[in-house]
Amino acid sequence: MKSCVIVFPGSNCDRDVAVAIEASSGTAPLMVWHGETALPACDLIVLPGGFSYGDYLRSGAMAARAPIMRAVLAKAASGTPVLGLCNGFQIMTEAGMLPGALMRNAGLKFICRDVFLKVENTDNIFNRRYASGQVVRFPISHHDGNYFTDAATLDRLESTGRIAFRYCAPDGAVNASANPNGSLNNIAGILNAAGNVLGMMPHPERLIAPELGGSDGRAMFDALASLLQCA
Amino acid sequence: MKARIHITLKKGVLDPQGKAIANALSHLGFDGVEEVRQGKYIEIDLADGDKAQARAKLDAMCAQLLANTVIENYTVELQA
Amino acid sequence: MRVSVTPEIVAAHGLKPDEYAHILRVLNREPNLTELGIFSAMWNEHCSYKSSRVWLRTMPTTGPQVVCGPGENAGVVDIGDGQVAIFKMESHNHPSFIEPYQGAATGVGGIMRDVFTMGARPVANLNALRFGAPDHARTRHLVYGVVAGIGGYGNCIGVPTVGGEVNFDAGYNGNILVNAMCIGIADASKVFYSTASGIGNPVVYVGSKTGRDGIHGASMASAEFDENSEEKRPTVQVGDPFTEKLLLEACLELMAGDAVIAIQDMGAAGLTCSAVEMASKGGLGLLLDLDKVPCREAGMTAYEMMLSESQERMLMVLHPDRTDAARAIFERWELDFAIVGETTDTGRFIIRHQGETVADLPVDVLAEQAPVYQRPWTPTPPAPYLPAKEIPDTDDLGATLARLMGGPHLASRRWIWEQYDHMVMGDTIQRPGGDAAVVRVHNSRKGIAATTDVTPRYCAAAPKEGGKQAIAEAFRNLCAVGAKPLAVTDCLNFGNPERPEIMGQFVGCIEGISEACIALDMPIVSGNVSLYNETSGVAIPPTPAIGAIGLLADVDKMATVAFKQDGDEIFVIGETQGHLGQSLYAREIAGRKDGAPPPVDLAAERRNGDFIRSQIIAGNVAAAHDISDGGLLVAIAEMALAGGLGCMLSLPRNAGPRHGFLFGEDQARYIACVSPQKAQAMIAAAQEKNVPVTRFGSVAGRDIVLDGKLVHSVAGLRSAHENWFPAYMEG
């Protein structure tokens, strides 16, 4: 698999996701500097977590205007899978790749802990190794993960199956007490209309081996690796 | 030319920081605070001499970067 | 502007009349204001250690594992395979009291710079925090700001904050302590030091621009002769973690090559201290041209530039023919890069500004002739032994346990550590909440264990015993996860050393720490001293915070505190005498603050610690936990909470007074959970090593049960334990 991880000034989960990709695919991704203007032919693009530009102004706002983003948008439009994790998701919404915005957590504090997620949509290249309705445990680690969008967009996302993950209780119940940050409808991750762009606040790349405390995240990178290797 | 830009959350968008400020004010004994909405204030010094051009440029800055128009409104105030 | 130096100005710079007389003597003239500021920065307590130096020299700092001890930016220890761990802890107490968010944030930023200045990539942050009483008016605000500041900086730069400790005590009402520790990993062949060499080599400034941040000492004096005093008032230092992240990556990229001769972080009195230290260590002179220094504000004076504490800056001496390549790296990271001077053979520190020489001082006098004081001291009067029989037993064991576990001393710190990204970098093997944090050395099976410890109430009652105990507890926390303790960094927080009784606390603690470091083979490789932590004559409790690291050869052979499964047998390792003096039980339940702390038997510590570690590595131990604050029953409860499992306990026949056995804080003890199949092997090994082992029960059910009677449900204890902190912070 040929993959690219975009590195913005202030990205800090770029190495973590590169480790996860290499663990599943056997091939290290190409790290692409934000100042580049072109991307090589590749099967997967990742916008990693971190604090691009210090999260100054708004999380992801300045990275969304970086030179490389034009190329990322073009690849996404032509169907290349693009995965945005945490700050990557924030960059995606700021760049208009996905609808809505990630606002300050309802509790106003940074939160780093494992959360349970209900896998909603498995009919996409990212989630096909999970069962529909499966409960998985991923960490979150963010200050601005409170998903917001207008009512019409929310309806459209819900009715077209574009919710990828929702925060839930360990038994899968989706309720207010399982919502760590105030996201509308407990949304943790969403897809674009074509299904090749996934943005999510949780960090699957952080739980890919038992010694790290869990391996639920591994299946996402395994799925990407196997699918893209066949392609 | 100096521009003052105010960025505020759109009506209806939840403002947890504003709510927290309102709570803190009432804890401090300030009664009658019905709502608090917080936002950002940005000052920009421009070299441009032409007011209309400057305004157009500042509008573009707000739309493209300074404000997130999904959730935020902005106003631009120009001073000679 | 020429200002003549008056006695008031000298005093405002924190220099004593005899210190100033010494300056006049060595210069053979009056210093100008800039020069006075430079002397005040170099000769203050923080830079010169003038009150503590004679005692610091007595501490053990060597060992086969030590690559570099105190005196550099951080300590360096060998971790095998051609790698080293570089670590240090430092205080940022006063700035955090003034502005908790920025004070704590810049403390974290500063300690990380100390580590990556030496060529290491930071891999873990820890902290040791002391706040005033929970009901003190400022405490909540300070906790909120300090925690947010530590998180704000560490999270942004992307280094996990994996551990720490927090105390609340009225003794810190007027002086909180914020001690930040950072650990980095480097190749042993790529460690960088601060000794300048060569003549005519470029002195290079990189990082952020210089502003009027934190210009201290002189604020009062400078206001008197400046009409723009409002504009120029010194400001709180503000941290910029984004810039530090860029600085980190740029420095490590530069250090991969061979451009760097010497490098020094600009911390307190940044430009002054870093320049003088590099020149002094190399036996050189140094010329600075302040017109080249990148400034954030217009019209800064030489005085301000030399004393500014603006953050995220470094000073380097580079090989002249590598300067252009170095510049390209920093420019790509969008950081300032300026050649601001050169090394000379004159032995003088010469500063030019706007065509004038604004300072011309001998380097060796600044760096090495700082005053050293042999401060008078009086030993702390010994505290009498407090027998258990003088303290009443409890008639409601469950309520007592819940009160301890749900009170400010022992309540879960989850509210704090969930605000820290403790997993970024993908190598956190043991998260916060256990005895020691463990981070894997990237791309290896090795792990670095780390902990911060001290029990100030022990140090106050008996400084020497308290000093020993701080090292012993750090040793135990490392052994309890299966790590071999390697070395120590210390952050010595005390009151005013000019008071003999405070100096007595300092001396006592140092003696205890030194004795324990030798006995437990944990040399001190770095640290700092923070004195004058007192307000209106009330000093903080003596708080020599210890940061210690250990090495695990294989992270799969690691123990955690959580009960693992029903049927596992529970053993107490070490001897229990039921020592209640200075215990949390005595203080919180019985209201007794007198008495001697538990004595520390260093031979027993060594023996029992080596034993538990060997049993963990042998795979005999299902769970392990050091017994410290709160005693045996609290340790059991913590293991039950971590595993979500209960236990059936029975008091041994020779237990002595029940409350002494359950709540005494005797040292050198652990709890080990062992599967029934492995219990015999462990007991035999203990007998062979003369390690006392007492069977105390087994893991069972969902309640803690003692001698057939319910003490507390684990679920009920969990709410008491988890609720205190969030409820307090919302209150």
Side-chain angles (χ1 to χ4, degrees):
Chain A
M1 172 171 70
K2 222 170 149 187
S3 58
C4 293
V5 174
I6 312 296
V7 182
F8 300 96
S11 292
N12 63 32
C13 303
D14 43 334
R15 189 186 80 176
D16 302 0
V17 78
V19 167
I21 289 170
E22 189 170 359
S24 287
S25 71
T27 309
L30 185 69
M31 310 305 275
V32 180
W33 187 238
H34 68 112
E36 303 287 324
T37 50
L39 281 165
C42 63
D43 311 310
L44 172 69
I45 299 165
V46 179
L47 305 185
F51 286 68
S52 55
Y53 294 93
D55 273 1
Y56 301 156
L57 190 62
R58 287 181 315 279
S59 299
M62 287 186 265
R65 280 83 184 167
I68 194 66
M69 286 305 291
R70 207 177 280 266
V72 173
L73 287 165
K75 290 270 187 193
S78 69
T80 304
V82 186
L83 174 60
L85 302 172
C86 198
N87 193 222
F89 184 20
Q90 294 162 340
I91 294 167
M92 284 175 161
T93 59
E94 282 283 350
M97 296 174 75
L98 290 171
L102 281 315
M103 298 179 51
R104 181 60 32 115
N105 292 344
L108 302 181
K109 292 198 295 291
F110 188 95
I111 309 171
C112 177
R113 66 160 182 255
D114 288 356
V115 295
F116 292 97
L117 301 173
K118 188 172 172 195
V119 185
E120 294 283 352
N121 181 328
T122 54
D123 187 21
N124 62 73
I125 48 172
F126 306 96
N127 286 359
R128 61 180 58 219
R129 292 246 176 137
Y130 299 112
S132 181
Q134 184 181 342
V135 176
V136 294
R137 181 169 54 90
F138 291 173
I140 54 169
S141 189
H142 61 246
H143 213 161
D144 297 312
N146 180 351
Y147 184 75
F148 176 85
T149 191
D150 61 79
T153 307
L154 187 62
D155 278 350
R156 196 171 72 243
L157 291 174
E158 290 284 0
S159 62
T160 53
R162 286 171 56 190
I163 314 299
F165 297 98
R166 270 185 235 276
Y167 302 107
C168 69
D171 64 0
V174 174
N175 53 37
S177 67
N179 188 338
N181 54 25
S183 290
L184 285 176
N185 293 11
N186 283 40
I187 287 172
I190 57 172
L191 295 154
N192 68 347
N196 68 315
V197 174
L198 169 63
M200 58 190 293
M201 289 312 297
H203 286 275
E205 80 278 19
R206 290 193 181 185
L207 283 186
I208 55 163
E211 67 262 31
L212 296 169
S215 43
D216 283 358
R218 174 85 189 215
M220 181 178 290
F221 297 98
D222 285 350
L224 288 167
S226 68
L227 186 83
L228 298 169
Q229 266 155 3
C230 300
Chain B
M1 201 179 316
K2 206 168 210 141
R4 301 170 159 205
I5 297 166
H6 290 269
I7 296 166
T8 51
L9 284 172
K10 286 181 174 171
K11 264 205 166 13
V13 174
L14 180 71
D15 179 6
Q17 296 178 78
K19 262 171 66 183
I21 296 165
N23 283 340
L25 288 173
S26 88
H27 282 312
L28 288 170
F30 292 101
D31 294 330
V33 176
E34 295 193 347
E35 198 188 5
V36 176
R37 307 279 287 169
Q38 56 82 49
K40 284 192 192 83
Y41 169 70
I42 299 172
E43 277 183 1
I44 294 183
D45 273 326
L46 278 179
D48 306 52
D50 183 283
K51 242 182 157 169
Q53 273 179 18
R55 185 167 288 282
K57 198 177 214 170
L58 288 160
D59 265 330
M61 287 180 192
C62 287
Q64 286 176 37
L65 178 67
L66 301 179
N68 178 352
T69 52
V70 175
I71 49 172
E72 292 170 332
N73 287 325
Y74 60 86
T75 58
V76 177
E77 207 182 302
L78 264 181
Q79 293 182 315
Chain C
M1 177 176 9
R2 216 55 221 181
V3 177
S4 67
V5 173
T6 63
E8 291 74 32
I9 292 176
V10 171
H13 282 74
L15 290 164
K16 300 278 191 264
D18 54 330
E19 293 171 347
Y20 186 61
H22 183 62
I23 292 172
L24 293 177
R25 215 164 33 245
V26 293
L27 289 187
N28 203 18
R29 63 176 168 86
E30 209 176 80
N32 63 37
L33 189 63
T34 302
E35 292 173 330
L36 186 73
I38 289 169
F39 269 107
S40 109
M42 290 306 299
W43 285 12
N44 73 11
E45 196 68 59
H46 183 84
C47 260
S48 74
Y49 297 95
K50 59 190 171 192
S51 298
S52 57
R53 186 176 285 236
V54 292
W55 291 102
L56 298 178
R57 284 195 189 119
T58 67
M59 301 183 90
T61 59
T62 55
Q65 70 273 47
V66 177
V67 176
C68 173
E72 276 291 340
N73 284 292
V76 184
V77 293
D78 187 358
I79 57 167
D81 309 307
Q83 291 176 307
V84 292
I86 299 184
F87 72 109
K88 188 181 181 186
M89 178 154 59
E90 197 161 75
S91 61
H92 225 217
N93 303 335
H94 191 61
S96 302
F97 187 74
I98 302 297
E99 209 304 298
Y101 185 99
Q102 293 299 342
T106 52
V108 172
I111 197 65
M112 282 195 281
R113 280 197 304 285
D114 278 335
V115 165
F116 71 78
T117 301
M118 298 195 70
R121 179 172 286 281
V123 297
N125 286 326
L126 292 91
N127 49 73
L129 311 177
R130 320 278 157 187
F131 296 104
D135 58 5
H136 186 263
R138 271 176 71 83
T139 300
R140 197 178 277 110
H141 161 75
L142 291 168
V143 173
Y144 200 93
V146 165
V147 171
I150 291 172
Y153 209 102
N155 298 346
C156 182
I157 199 167
V159 174
T161 302
V162 294
E165 62 170 350
V166 183
N167 285 162
F168 294 92
D169 188 288
Y172 304 104
N173 281 353
N175 298 83
I176 64 168
L177 303 183
V178 174
N179 298 170
M181 172 172 169
C182 179
I183 305 164
I185 304 287
D187 285 340
S189 60
K190 280 284 180 190
V191 179
F192 292 84
Y193 298 99
S194 58
T195 304
S197 65
I199 310 298
N201 284 331
V203 174
V204 172
Y205 170 119
V206 298
S208 288
K209 295 187 194 317
T210 297
R212 293 192 175 98
D213 312 60
I215 297 169
H216 58 83
S219 53
M220 198 167 67
S222 58
E224 284 172 6
F225 39 81
D226 196 312
E227 64 276 17
N228 301 321
S229 53
E230 189 57 34
E231 279 278 292
K232 292 194 170 181
R233 208 169 49 190
T235 51
V236 171
Q237 310 158 45
V238 172
D240 179 356
F242 172 58
T243 296
E244 178 134 320
K245 168 72 174 167
L246 305 183
L247 187 60
L248 161 68
E249 299 300 339
C251 283
L252 292 182
E253 190 176 325
L254 176 67
M255 288 163 162
D258 57 359
V260 179
I261 295 172
I263 178 165
Q264 177 81 25
D265 157 47
M266 289 195 234
L271 208 43
T272 294
C273 282
S274 55
V276 171
E277 281 179 31
M278 287 202 296
S280 158
K281 283 185 178 153
L284 298 175
L286 200 139
L287 175 71
L288 276 189
D289 179 358
L290 295 185
D291 298 330
K292 306 274 174 58
V293 170
C295 286
R296 203 172 67 212
E297 298 168 61
M300 286 187 66
T301 63
Y303 179 93
E304 289 168 329
M305 281 190 239
M306 292 313 294
L307 294 189
S308 164
E309 297 196 344
S310 290
Q311 301 288 301
E312 293 90 22
R313 302 179 299 160
M314 298 272 196
L315 202 64
M316 309 184 290
V317 177
L318 297 183
H319 286 289
D321 55 347
R322 299 284 189 277
T323 309
D324 289 342
R327 182 190 296 277
I329 291 173
F330 283 86
E331 285 179 352
R332 192 166 74 84
W333 287 98
E334 298 179 15
L335 294 164
D336 273 298
F337 179 102
I339 298 173
V340 296
E342 62 177 20
T343 54
T344 67
D345 60 0
T346 62
R348 297 196 73 84
F349 185 34
I350 295 173
I351 302 170
R352 297 235 170 88
H353 189 216
Q354 296 172 343
E356 278 186 57
T357 297
V358 293
D360 182 349
L361 300 169
V363 167
D364 57 343
V365 170
L366 284 170
E368 289 147 34
Q369 289 186 28
V372 172
Y373 293 119
Q374 185 62 264
R375 303 261 189 220
W377 58 281
T378 51
T380 305
Y385 172 65
L386 179 62
K389 65 174 166 25
E390 282 188 24
I391 296 173
D393 194 359
T394 173
D395 45 18
D396 187 342
L397 208 48
T400 298
L401 179 61
R403 201 168 132 202
L404 286 171
M405 295 292 291
H409 300 285
L410 297 175
S412 166
R413 271 52 176 147
R414 184 182 301 276
W415 185 91
I416 294 178
W417 52 256
E418 282 192 348
Q419 294 184 59
Y420 302 151
D421 189 334
H422 47 269
M423 290 181 255
V424 64
M425 299 185 86
D427 285 310
T428 302
I429 305 294
Q430 185 148 169
R431 300 187 192 178
D435 279 326
V438 178
V439 292
R440 183 173 53 190
V441 177
H442 198 61
N443 278 332
S444 84
R445 300 302 306 163
K446 286 188 297 193
I448 301 287
T451 178
T452 59
D453 295 288
V454 62
T455 312
R457 62 180 189 278
Y458 294 175
C459 295
K464 186 171 176 188
E465 220 52 34
K468 272 158 65 176
Q469 193 275 343
I471 296 291
E473 185 172 346
F475 174 83
R476 287 200 302 273
N477 281 326
L478 297 173
C479 292
V481 300
K484 172 146 183 49
L486 277 182
V488 168
T489 180
D490 59 5
C491 210
L492 306 171
N493 308 277
F494 291 82
N496 181 352
E498 295 163 44
R499 291 166 57 199
E501 65 274 25
I502 299 291
M503 204 57 207
Q505 293 176 339
F506 184 78
V507 170
C509 286
I510 292 235
E511 287 175 346
I513 288 169
S514 297
E515 197 178 314
C517 286
I518 291 167
L520 302 176
D521 195 11
M522 297 167 75
I524 292 171
V525 296
S526 60
N528 99 313
V529 180
S530 171
L531 301 174
Y532 299 97
N533 291 289
E534 59 179 72
T535 302
S536 320
V538 180
I540 58 161
T543 312
I546 297 301
I549 67 165
L551 182 67
L552 292 95
D554 181 353
V555 291
D556 279 346
K557 291 179 177 140
M558 177 186 81
T560 64
V561 301
F563 279 162
K564 298 297 182 306
Q565 68 180 30
D566 275 5
D568 282 353
E569 299 192 18
I570 300 170
F571 293 94
V572 180
I573 311 291
E575 194 181 352
T576 302
Q577 296 199 332
H579 187 103
L580 284 172
Q582 297 302 333
S583 67
L584 283 182
Y585 180 88
R587 289 170 80 100
E588 301 303 312
I589 306 297
R592 290 285 297 262
K593 297 196 170 178
D594 56 332
V600 181
D601 176 346
L602 291 168
E605 290 286 1
R606 180 70 187 253
R607 186 174 61 234
N608 299 354
D610 288 349
F611 173 73
I612 191 88
R613 185 183 336 109
S614 71
Q615 291 301 300
I616 292 167
I617 291 169
N620 284 342
V621 175
H625 191 11
D626 136 70
I627 302 176
S628 55
D629 272 348
L632 181 50
L633 194 60
V634 162
I636 292 275
E638 287 169 346
M639 299 177 82
L641 287 173
L645 292 171
C647 53
M648 305 274 277
L649 307 171
S650 42
L651 273 183
R653 276 178 209 293
N654 56 353
R658 184 182 73 157
H659 60 312
F661 185 81
L662 295 177
F663 298 108
E665 297 182 4
D666 306 86
Q667 300 292 297
R669 294 185 303 158
Y670 303 82
I671 295 169
C673 286
V674 182
S675 73
Q677 298 79 16
K678 291 179 173 165
Q680 234 3 279
M682 192 212 56
I683 292 169
Q687 279 164 349
E688 190 189 318
K689 301 280 183 199
N690 271 328
V691 171
V693 176
T694 311
R695 190 174 182 283
F696 189 36
S698 59
V699 177
R702 298 291 182 273
D703 299 318
I704 297 174
V705 175
L706 178 68
D707 289 334
K709 293 198 199 79
L710 175 71
V711 176
H712 215 295
S713 71
V714 174
L717 213 49
R718 185 183 307 285
S719 12
H721 186 59
E722 292 293 348
N723 288 349
W724 183 84
F725 223 114
Y728 169 66
M729 291 309 296
E730 275 161 31

